[in-house]
Amino acid sequence: MSNNIVVAIDGYSSCGKSTIAKALAKKLHFIYIDSGAMYRAVTLYFLRNNIDLNDSGQVSEALKNIHLNFHSRDYQTHIMLNDEEVSDEIRQMPVSENVSAVSAIHAVRVEMVKQQQRMGKSKNIIMDGRDIGTVVFPDAQVKLFMTADPKVRAERRFKELTDKNPDLTLEEVFENLAHRDYADTTRKESPLTRAHDAIILDNTDLTPDEQLQFAIDKITPFLKEA
Ligand code: DC
């Protein structure tokens, strides 16, 4: 039987899930998998190829032509869509504005969950997303559910995006986050919700070091058992 450790991190958009996941992976030498990047890469493919989201035939045909790979050389997300690195492009607004609709499609989720479960079969991994502790790895040893004040989250995301998008306003980022929170928590397919055994981590007033230590304290007992 495999005794690898899985750490599942779920939560709202721009709560710093990937920041803490990367830091944990680096510190503990786990593999980091950004499941949101997978939904974003699928969205990019759909946009580029004008896939009609309401046409299930087109969607399932497109899914067959999408091959995703991660290169995790420095604990950053390097995601390859059919051998092309798309790590930057998937963070731009066209993808952010469409990813909620794409990630609500049943066939898309079935395919992504299958790939995610394969990645967590035999290695110690940290995966972040919306349904990792509830659907992808319901038996994960450690589950964190992250949250933070919506205004603080919008300011953080705005800072990340503003260099490459000088016309973007804080209001637009706030609206996009509010829209995604609503869509993520109310969709029919695997809505964002806290697993009953997930530990809440509200980082509104925490420094990166404080939240990292909080998570390490939760994971350490399992390292001793493994
Ligand atoms: O974490 P992120 O903001 O990069 O995720 C992008 C979108 O993908 C987000 O709006 C919801 C969706 N998502 C999902 O439905 N399930 C996941 N496990 C990860 C992301």
Side-chain angles (χ1 to χ4, degrees), residues 118-135:
R118 208 180 298 137
M119 292 173 191
K121 259 213 152 74
S122 56
K123 299 190 178 102
N124 289 340
I125 64 158
I126 300 192
M127 190 178 289
D128 69 346
R130 304 295 186 289
D131 60 342
I132 311 305
T134 49
V135 175

Side-chain angles (χ1 to χ4, degrees), residues 13-28:
S13 299
S14 297
C15 269
K17 295 188 297 295
S18 69
T19 304
I20 193 172
K22 279 178 212 162
L24 282 171
K26 197 168 180 179
K27 186 118 188 149
L28 304 172

Side-chain angles (χ1 to χ4, degrees), residues 10 13-14 17 34-37 39-40 91 96 99-100 103-104 109 116 128-132 136 157 180 184 187 190:
D10 290 303
S13 299
S14 297
K17 295 188 297 295
D34 174 351
S35 71
Y39 289 97
R40 286 173 176 272
R91 305 284 159 206
S96 294
V99 64
S100 291
S103 60
R109 300 207 72 85
Q116 289 153 6
D128 69 346
R130 304 295 186 289
D131 60 342
I132 311 305
V136 184
R157 178 61 65 118
R180 285 202 286 145
D184 290 349
R187 70 182 177 212
S190 309

Side-chain angles (χ1 to χ4, degrees), residues 10-11 15 17 20 24 33 49 84 89 97 102 112 139 144 147 153 168 191 210-211:
D10 290 303
C15 269
K17 295 188 297 295
I20 193 172
L24 282 171
I33 298 161
N49 293 281
E84 174 194 350
E89 203 174 344
E97 282 167 0
V102 172
M112 293 302 109
D139 297 328
L144 297 177
T147 177
R153 289 158 52 206
L168 194 67
E210 285 168 338
Q211 60 166 341

